[in-house]
Amino acid sequence: MIYIICMIKRTLSQEIKRLALKFPVVSVVGPRQSGKTTLVKNVFSQLKYVSLEDLDTREFALQDPKGFLSTYNNGVIIDEAQRVPDLFSYIQTTVDKEGSPGQFILTGSQNILLHEKVSQTLAGRVAIVRLLPFSLEELKDTVYGLKNPEEYIFKGFYPRIYDKNIAPDDWYPNYVQTYIERDVRLIKNI
């Protein structure tokens, strides 16, 4: 099977760049698998990238947040930043001291700054951008452009379906099951 892989230009790309010129922190939030990581890695390709899903990286950030951040003194993309809530206080201290725009690009599957374990909101220091799956506008002039509205309704707009050529009836049941089961577990633990 041949996959056609092309980077689909996201409409939020220019807005995120613009905000990174004004704010020291830009937070890109949205549903899982909506393309947050791909977007920020593409838009901010000059920055180092670190994922707090990686257990060793997360452990370093948990044990030594200040040392962790000092590793990335020229700006960094921190993926799934809500995994280490204490980082936000250190990020505030750093941006208050240095004040450089676009210093931290954060991603998270939820509004990470409203997460109950995050005590530092970064108010006035952060621009928050919500990324949803593809829009009709983003898809229409690409190799993924479909011929009729029924195809879009059936296929949906999640990037992985297009990027990996996954049948929607294979992808959606698995996505929903893992998403809902995880969230039900989280609610039961509250």
Side-chain angles (χ1 to χ4, degrees):
M1 182 174 285
I2 297 174
Y3 297 108
I4 301 170
I5 299 176
C6 69
M7 182 66 190
I8 294 176
K9 187 171 180 353
R10 302 303 302 262
T11 55
L12 286 177
S13 296
Q14 292 305 314
E15 179 69 3
I16 293 169
K17 284 181 190 177
R18 185 184 71 76
L19 291 169
L21 294 173
K22 309 245 181 238
F23 289 86
V25 182
V26 176
S27 176
V28 180
V29 299
R32 293 178 190 97
Q33 295 295 308
S34 59
K36 297 177 299 293
T37 301
T38 302
L39 174 64
V40 298
K41 285 172 86 174
N42 183 271
V43 171
F44 301 103
S45 59
Q46 79 284 5
L47 295 180
K48 290 193 178 189
Y49 167 84
V50 62
S51 173
L52 295 181
E53 287 293 343
D54 178 82
L55 293 175
D56 293 334
T57 303
R58 186 181 328 145
E59 190 61 30
F60 176 29
L62 284 166
Q63 296 303 317
D64 184 9
K66 191 173 186 177
F68 172 79
L69 289 177
S70 71
T71 305
Y72 306 103
N73 55 6
N74 293 321
V76 64
I77 297 167
I78 302 176
D79 204 1
E80 298 298 340
Q82 78 277 358
R83 302 293 244 141
V84 184
D86 288 344
L87 272 182
F88 294 92
S89 289
Y90 289 93
I91 288 172
Q92 178 190 331
T93 302
T94 302
V95 300
D96 284 352
K97 183 170 61 175
E98 297 177 21
S100 304
Q103 202 168 355
F104 295 97
I105 310 300
L106 311 177
T107 73
S109 295
Q110 48 195 300
N111 191 339
I112 54 182
L113 299 172
L114 296 178
H115 193 276
E116 70 275 356
K117 292 182 181 173
V118 175
S119 61
Q120 177 46 255
T121 66
L122 298 173
R125 300 166 183 89
V126 63
I128 301 171
V129 179
R130 183 159 182 78
L131 181 71
L132 296 174
F134 291 136
S135 68
L136 286 171
E137 187 67 27
E138 291 169 332
L139 289 176
K140 77 175 185 178
D141 294 326
T142 70
V143 296
Y144 304 114
L146 300 175
K147 305 294 181 234
N148 62 58
E150 290 83 16
E151 287 182 84
Y152 282 121
I153 291 168
F154 175 71
K155 200 162 186 174
F157 298 95
Y158 278 90
R160 189 166 290 270
I161 290 172
Y162 294 88
D163 181 44
K164 302 297 182 193
N165 197 27
I166 300 172
D169 51 348
D170 287 334
W171 193 82
Y172 281 107
N174 291 295
Y175 177 79
V176 170
Q177 185 175 358
T178 55
Y179 209 136
I180 290 174
E181 285 183 4
R182 179 184 179 277
D183 288 349
V184 167
R185 280 195 313 270
L186 289 174
I187 290 169
K188 285 182 180 180
N189 291 331
I190 293 178

